[in-house]
Amino acid sequence: MSINKNILIFLLTAIGLIVLPHIENLPPSVTGYFYLLLSWRFLGVWKPQWLPSKLMLLLLTVIGIAILYGLHEGIFGRDAGTRLFVTALGLKLLEIKSERDLYLIVFLAFIVATSLFLYQQSIFMAAYILVVCCVLLGTLVCINSNRSQTWQSLKTASEIVAQAIPMTIVIFILFPRVEAPKWMYFNDKHQARTGLSDNMEPGAISNLAMSDELVFRVQFTGAIPPSAQRYWRGPVLTHTDGKRWTQNRNGLSQKIDQPTFTGNAYQYTLLMEPQDKNWVFALDLPAEVAAPLRRNSHYQLVTSANPDKRTEYHITSYPTYNTGTITKDEYQEATQLPGPASANVTQLVQRLHGFDRSPDIFINQLLNHFKTEDFYYTLTPPLMQENPIEQFLFESHRGFCEHYATAFVYLMRVAHIPARVVTGYQGGELNQIGNFLDIKQAYAHAWAEVWLDQRGWVRVDPTAAIAPERIEQNINIDQQIARGIISFTPNTALAAVDWLKNARQLWGNVDYQWQRWVINYDNKNQSQFLSSLGISDLKTMIYWMADIIGVITAVLCWLLLRNPSKTVDPAVLAYQRFCKKLAKNGLIKKPGEGAKDFAFRAKRQLPEQATGIEHITQLFIKLHYGKQHGKNDLQQLNRMVAAFKGKR
Amino acid sequence: MSSLTLKERFSLSRFSSGEKATDEPITLNQRRIFILPTDRGLGFVILLALLLLIAFVYNNNLAYLLVFLLASIFFITILHSYRSLSGLVLRSGQSKPVFVGQAAGFNIHIDNSTSKDRLQLKINLLQATETISLSAHSQTQITLHSATYKRGWQEAGTLTISSTYPLGLFRAWSPLRFNLNVLVYPKPAAAEIPFPESHASQSEQGVTSKGNDDFFGLQSYQPGDAIKHIHWKSYAKGLGVFSKQYDGESSSQIWLDYIQTPGHGIEERLSQLCRWLIDAEQAGINYGFSIPGLKLEPANGQHHYQKCLEALALFETL
């Protein structure tokens, strides 16, 4: 094999690095298979005789196909495609015969690198891929330069990548983004999306609080409701075993009274992002709905359209409503308890007048209890395994919205007031330019609903008692926490880790900008951003792209190609003047002749000038080839050349 | 460098066979250097299309970013390709005549007076390809060998210097033509036919019937004796300078005449003449040379020898 060992080691290292992050995305059989082949190939660098024979290679291919087939994924789609390319890459590694094979491997590696972005889009991943790309391109430089120093090749490749970056950014900004037609979507299985589920355990919503993923967007035809009214209704959880809250499936089908609506209505268009569940999160409380939407007995909207596709719905909601009477089933369902309440709980309900006063008073007492007692609102409450409600109420006093909502509902039920947990989203980020609300996973919320005589189901948000900012303001809660606007921990602890907090904030900001400007730079963002620069249509976009690329190319040309043949060494220029003077005497330096040989020849022909020739030559050699020379040497050389008289 | 006429400038042959042949040194510049993607470069374009499709289908911005980065790299590589050749100065060198069947060597000087290393330059001439690397401010001379099949002037034709540095996605090449010719003598015949007998009419002193150059003896050196015939062994022993004498030489000179040379056809005869020329020159015999259109009086030595061979190489039937 004629391929340089260094190149192989270089390439194999790059390949190993590029597949490394896929370990968490791919089944162990595929990564195991791949790294086995890679190690085999690595051994083959030093022991070529150990490389598999043709028959063995065929066998390995069959094994690879068997592994892929065993995963029952076909060859299309993200997971299946990635597995296919990783397997093909592994097999191709064992069959390196010519330079062409190396290129094929590098190309496959670039495909695998791209597939990594389909799983993760963090800054770290981008930086990692950039570095690995430099190594891959370095391999190509190595092949085409026949240099043994791989380090030098890596440097050249990095230079090329660095030169390409400005152009990349320009194309990235100006390349028209068009959403792929629907038939091009692959139905990827196991593409788990985060989001609310039909049951709730402690910690379920605080997991979502970190996700910046968009759930839906709402554009109002008229006024936008104030943030205190932005409750987007999702699944209603009525049944509990003391820890886990679930939807009561039987209750969903029963007949209920039509609510009566009063006050002003909100009309809006809701654009759901692709979801796993067929829920549509309407503003509390939706009124008329048209197909494919349907309102279930919990006043939650469900759709019969495919939730996996982005879909638009037109909905009308009224913030003031009366749901009327409660059915028997509803009452039963809304007062269900996992067992008799403990003495602690009964005592608390007693103390807050749960048994002897009206529900209104009890509700206020309880909310006041949350406000005045030492309750903290935190994303990372202590783990409550055994009896989360009691643990939260009497021990930790730390919880997220789901803790407050469930504890509230539980206490209501102990006091025989029908109550249930409502999950959904709360708030929404107003997009000033488009005048629409972005509702992200981070806004996932849980609140309570109690049934009161004459008023029907009434929303109570116990979290509001502890963290009113969440209700009043229209800001992402986790960012508020990150910025320290909402602080749930004692200040003394914060002071000690102040610099850490600052760093985290800075990083949070960088990450936010990255998400916003790089990951989510879609056709909407692009047209918004470009129209703010005065670029409105496709034609102007392309003109601008061509123009800017032209300018960048011109700059690069100037940087790369200026004065390619000019000799910069002034010593050489001086020596050339000296040679010209000698040429007048018929002494012409031959192309292959060294300065010393030429001087020897010149001295023989011009003995009277011997010392001058000798001095000039020595000085030139010192300046041009020597490592150390003084500042005056060049001046002296110039003087001597000027003084040198060629003609006899 | 002289400027081109409009017609020359748009001539397609510039891409493959280069411009008019010249003796001047040629500096590679934008007029001489051509760049096109290699098959690997085309493969890279297909890769880009595939990656763009992935980015499009999954609407993935980082995938887009990677595609754009690779596309920019692809584009910028054109400049690097150009830079791998530009500024090099090529000059043709002298080349020695050869006999048919021997490889003709064409000498080329390449001068890199720039401050940039040139890596893996491929220089192709006829069937021969050489790969060299030139560090900054250095020069080199290479000899490209090419097989010879025919006597006469063998033209070097187009010399192509090319490079796929840095990524192998583009090939920059420059087709150059120098006035670079090698004179090819006829192939010496293998058959050992004795020297032709000189005719009385051509001979001044008469010739022995022996055409063979058998070793005859030694005699003291006379000025004019061929240097090849000096008996170095006796000189080394300090016995004085002696010349080796061959039978048939002392008195002889021969005429090598095309008309009287045996052989079928022109080439065979020329081959035979060539063989005799070589042998006669080696033996130090004075030989006269006659082919239609040229007659050289008997003489000996390199100058005469080359003149005869040249006449053989360029002989054309009338």
Side-chain angles (χ1 to χ4, degrees), chain B residues 225-284:
Chain B
D225 280 351
I227 206 157
K228 282 186 192 122
H229 294 165
I230 290 173
H231 191 246
W232 294 107
K233 274 182 192 161
S234 50
Y235 178 65
K237 284 177 191 159
L239 300 172
V241 186
F242 291 95
S243 282
K244 288 179 275 187
Q245 295 293 308
Y246 293 88
D247 191 15
E249 183 203 13
S250 53
S251 55
S252 82
Q253 54 183 14
I254 54 171
W255 273 97
L256 303 174
D257 190 349
Y258 175 78
I259 310 281
Q260 293 177 5
T261 307
H264 309 286
I266 304 159
E267 296 305 323
E268 223 168 280
R269 285 180 175 189
L270 291 177
S271 279
Q272 187 53 53
L273 276 173
C274 185
R275 161 61 50 201
W276 282 337
L277 273 174
I278 296 167
D279 292 346
E281 175 64 23
Q282 259 178 6

Side-chain angles (χ1 to χ4, degrees), chain A residues 557 560-562 564, chain B residues 27-35 76-88 116 118 163 165-166 170-173:
Chain A
C557 279
L560 291 175
L561 308 177
R562 62 189 159 160
Chain B
T27 307
L28 300 186
N29 59 10
Q30 63 275 16
R31 201 178 93 187
R32 299 275 189 178
I33 300 172
F34 305 103
I35 301 170
I76 285 171
T77 309
I78 299 174
L79 298 181
H80 285 271
S81 273
Y82 175 75
R83 201 161 76 130
S84 67
L85 289 187
S86 83
L88 288 177
K116 205 186 155 293
R118 310 299 176 125
S163 166
Y165 184 79
F170 284 93
R171 174 173 174 266
W173 81 98

Side-chain angles (χ1 to χ4, degrees), chain A residues 216 260 264 312 357 475 555 596 629:
Chain A
F216 57 95
T260 50
N264 53 334
E312 217 170 51
R357 296 287 190 87
I475 303 175
V555 171
K596 269 186 182 163
H629 45 76

Side-chain angles (χ1 to χ4, degrees), chain A residues 169-406:
Chain A
I169 293 170
V170 170
I171 306 176
F172 181 78
I173 294 171
L174 289 164
F175 188 85
R177 297 295 149 71
V178 184
E179 263 181 41
K182 295 246 154 71
W183 58 265
M184 276 180 136
Y185 286 122
F186 294 115
N187 280 323
D188 286 319
K189 291 176 205 163
H190 312 305
Q191 195 175 346
R193 290 198 181 90
T194 53
L196 291 174
S197 73
D198 55 1
N199 62 67
M200 188 169 75
E201 278 181 80
I205 290 185
S206 42
N207 279 341
L208 290 177
M210 290 304 184
S211 164
D212 209 24
E213 195 187 301
L214 190 68
V215 190
F216 57 95
R217 284 190 162 127
V218 183
Q219 181 134 40
F220 288 88
T221 39
I224 296 175
S227 17
Q229 278 183 7
R230 290 179 204 156
Y231 281 86
W232 310 96
R233 195 179 183 90
V236 176
L237 312 177
T238 52
H239 185 269
T240 180
D241 59 358
K243 192 177 165 192
R244 188 181 158 95
W245 291 72
T246 49
Q247 264 184 318
N248 190 341
R249 301 224 169 265
N250 304 332
L252 287 174
S253 56
Q254 61 186 313
K255 282 266 177 240
I256 45 151
D257 278 1
Q258 273 296 324
T260 50
F261 296 104
T262 47
N264 53 334
Y266 288 111
Q267 285 189 322
Y268 52 93
T269 311
L270 194 149
L271 181 72
M272 286 298 299
E273 292 292 309
Q275 300 290 310
D276 282 347
K277 305 281 192 328
N278 63 339
W279 301 329
V280 175
F281 300 89
L283 191 69
D284 229 7
L285 197 60
E288 310 105 49
V289 287
L293 288 177
R294 190 174 58 79
R295 193 176 66 187
N296 68 18
S297 63
H298 287 152
Y299 309 110
Q300 186 204 351
L301 296 189
V302 288
T303 176
S304 52
N306 180 8
D308 209 29
K309 288 177 180 170
R310 224 175 246 105
T311 325
E312 217 170 51
Y313 304 100
H314 299 280
I315 308 167
T316 307
S317 289
Y318 291 84
T320 30
Y321 52 88
N322 188 335
T323 59
T325 55
I326 190 166
T327 64
K328 205 179 164 213
D329 285 345
E330 241 183 325
Y331 183 83
Q332 264 184 357
E333 163 190 301
T335 50
Q336 175 265 338
L337 284 171
S342 69
N344 265 341
V345 172
T346 336
Q347 246 176 23
L348 180 69
V349 175
Q350 182 90 48
R351 195 151 55 82
L352 300 173
H353 306 289
F355 298 123
D356 50 359
R357 296 287 190 87
S358 73
D360 273 334
I361 289 170
F362 177 51
I363 292 166
N364 279 333
Q365 288 281 335
L366 182 53
L367 291 179
N368 210 32
H369 177 73
F370 285 145
K371 195 176 292 176
T372 52
E373 295 294 315
D374 200 22
F375 278 94
Y376 292 109
Y377 180 80
T378 171
L379 271 174
T380 51
L383 208 61
M384 296 173 239
Q385 285 294 345
E386 284 306 307
N387 193 342
I389 293 177
E390 284 195 39
Q391 239 181 316
F392 164 70
L393 279 174
F394 304 114
E395 288 167 34
S396 71
H397 286 201
R398 282 162 204 276
F400 197 53
C401 60
E402 67 233 55
H403 299 92
Y404 287 93
T406 52

Side-chain angles (χ1 to χ4, degrees), chain A residues 103 120 149 162 168 371 441 455 459 568 610 628:
Chain A
Y103 271 80
Q120 219 206 10
Q149 307 112 303
T168 310
K371 195 176 292 176
Q441 292 293 8
R455 287 162 64 190
R459 183 177 66 228
V568 276
Q628 290 179 328

Side-chain angles (χ1 to χ4, degrees), chain A residues 77-78 99-100 103 107 110-111 114 117-118 121 130 133 137 140-141 143-147 156 160-161 163-165 167-168 171-172 175 177-181 184 186 188 514 518-521 553 556-557 560-561 564-565 567 591, chain B residues 27 39-40 43-44 47 50-54 56-66 68-73 75-77 79-80 82-83 86-87 91 109 113-115 118-120 131 133 137 139 164-169:
Chain A
R78 184 187 67 164
E99 247 175 59
R100 190 181 288 260
Y103 271 80
F107 290 177
F110 276 125
I111 296 175
T114 311
F117 287 141
L118 304 181
Q121 303 199 57
L130 190 70
C133 278
L137 292 171
L140 298 188
V141 176
I143 296 169
N144 286 289
S145 64
N146 212 6
R147 251 189 315 213
T156 310
I160 295 173
V161 169
Q163 286 158 4
I165 282 174
M167 204 178 283
T168 310
I171 306 176
F172 181 78
F175 188 85
R177 297 295 149 71
V178 184
E179 263 181 41
M184 276 180 136
F186 294 115
D188 286 319
W514 172 260
V518 182
I519 308 299
N520 294 335
Y521 188 73
T553 312
L556 277 175
C557 279
L560 291 175
L561 308 177
S565 56
T567 308
Chain B
T27 307
D39 50 353
R40 274 143 222 196
F44 194 78
L47 171 78
L50 181 66
L51 295 187
L52 191 65
L53 187 72
I54 293 175
F56 176 68
V57 169
Y58 288 95
N59 206 3
N60 188 306
N61 265 334
L62 289 190
Y64 270 123
L65 207 54
L66 183 63
F68 299 153
L69 180 71
L70 293 179
S72 303
I73 287 169
F75 183 69
I76 285 171
T77 309
L79 298 181
H80 285 271
Y82 175 75
R83 201 161 76 130
S86 83
R91 246 172 337 105
H109 292 280
S113 62
T114 62
S115 53
R118 310 299 176 125
L119 298 158
Q120 215 163 6
T131 305
S133 288
H137 304 297
Q139 48 191 346
T164 54
Y165 184 79
L167 297 181
L169 305 177

